[in-house]
Amino acid sequence: MNVLAISGYKPFELGIFKKDHPSAAFIKAAIKKALLPKVEEGLEWVLISGQLGVELWAAETVFELQVDYPELKLAVITPFLNQEASWNEHNKEWYESVLMQADFVDSVTKKGYEKPWQFRLKNQFFLDKSDGLLLLYDQEKEGSPKYLYELAVKYQEGHDYLIELITFYDLQMIVEEEQLKQTEY
C-alpha cells in the first residue's frame, strides 16, 4: 500500500468542540494504532481533505510519526479553494498549521465552494488516488463519513481496495488501553 486516505467524523458530530479535547488524544491513538503497521510495511502517503476533526487529527498523527518515519508524507487535497473561509479563528489556525507542515497541498476543484458535487468529486478522487481508506465511522451513528464509506464499498466491488473502519467500540478499547497504561505507572 502506497497511499492511504483517512477521513471520519467532523468534531461536532462527535460532540467535540475544541481541537485539544481529551477525546482527541484517543482518536489520534486509534489512528496511530491503525497507521503504524502500514507505515512499517512501506506506506508512503496519507491523503486527507483537510476537514476539521478526524482528518486534522490524522495529520497531527502523521507529523508525530514522521519523527521516526521521515519517509511518510502527508497530502492535503481539499474539495475546493478556501474551505476554511467560514471557520472560526482557532480552527483556521489549526488548519493553516497543518497545511504549512504538509508535504503536498492542492484542491480538486480550482474554485471556491459552489455545490455539494464538489464533495462527491473529492470522494471519488480520493478513492481513485489511494490504495485504501481508514475511516473513523460507525454504522450505528450516521454522519458525514457515510457518503465516503458507501462510495468506497461500491468502489471496492470493482477494485482491489482496502476499507478499514475505526468504530466506537475500537475507540472504547483504546480508552481502556490508555487508562490501563496510566494505572501501571
Side-chain angles (χ1 to χ4, degrees):
M1 178 177 298
N2 293 327
V3 181
L4 179 69
I6 301 180
S7 192
Y9 295 102
K10 296 179 176 101
F12 66 86
E13 292 176 301
L14 297 169
I16 298 174
F17 300 98
K18 291 186 177 170
K19 81 176 191 99
D20 52 2
H21 186 278
S23 298
F26 298 119
I27 292 168
K28 288 169 66 174
I31 292 168
K32 185 175 184 177
K33 185 177 181 177
L35 264 183
L36 207 47
K38 293 169 183 56
V39 172
E40 289 172 349
E41 292 167 10
L43 178 67
E44 296 173 21
W45 285 91
V46 168
L47 174 60
I48 64 169
S49 69
Q51 80 180 21
L52 294 171
V54 170
E55 291 192 15
L56 293 187
W57 289 316
E60 291 175 344
T61 305
V62 167
F63 300 147
E64 291 166 16
L65 286 171
Q66 284 176 332
V67 172
D68 295 319
Y69 301 93
E71 65 282 359
L72 181 64
K73 306 277 187 263
L74 177 72
V76 181
I77 302 181
T78 65
F80 46 84
L81 299 175
N82 303 315
Q83 74 172 343
E84 76 285 5
S86 64
W87 298 354
N88 70 37
E89 282 309 306
H90 292 295
N91 288 337
K92 284 181 183 178
E93 287 173 20
W94 183 22
Y95 176 73
E96 291 297 329
S97 74
V98 166
L99 292 185
M100 287 178 3
Q101 295 174 76
D103 299 285
F104 183 81
V105 177
D106 201 356
S107 288
V108 177
T109 60
K110 309 290 190 232
K111 48 187 156 193
Y113 177 75
E114 290 178 354
K115 301 236 185 244
W117 64 265
Q118 290 167 297
F119 292 108
R120 290 191 294 275
L121 191 64
K122 181 267 303 178
N123 288 345
Q124 188 62 54
F125 178 88
F126 270 39
L127 298 177
D128 291 339
K129 297 298 182 189
S130 64
D131 304 306
L133 172 66
L134 177 62
L135 190 65
L136 176 60
Y137 177 61
D138 198 309
Q139 291 167 309
E140 302 289 310
K141 181 182 184 339
E142 289 208 351
S144 59
K146 173 186 170 188
Y147 303 103
L148 180 55
Y149 175 70
E150 289 175 350
L151 189 63
V153 168
K154 206 173 279 181
Y155 184 81
Q156 194 178 44
E157 292 170 6
H159 301 83
D160 182 20
Y161 194 79
L162 172 88
I163 300 171
E164 184 176 340
L165 297 181
I166 298 172
T167 65
F168 292 125
Y169 177 79
D170 297 323
L171 287 178
Q172 184 58 42
M173 292 295 98
I174 294 286
V175 169
E176 291 174 18
E177 287 171 23
E178 295 297 316
Q179 287 171 340
L180 194 60
K181 286 180 194 172
Q182 299 301 320
T183 58
E184 289 174 356
Y185 289 125

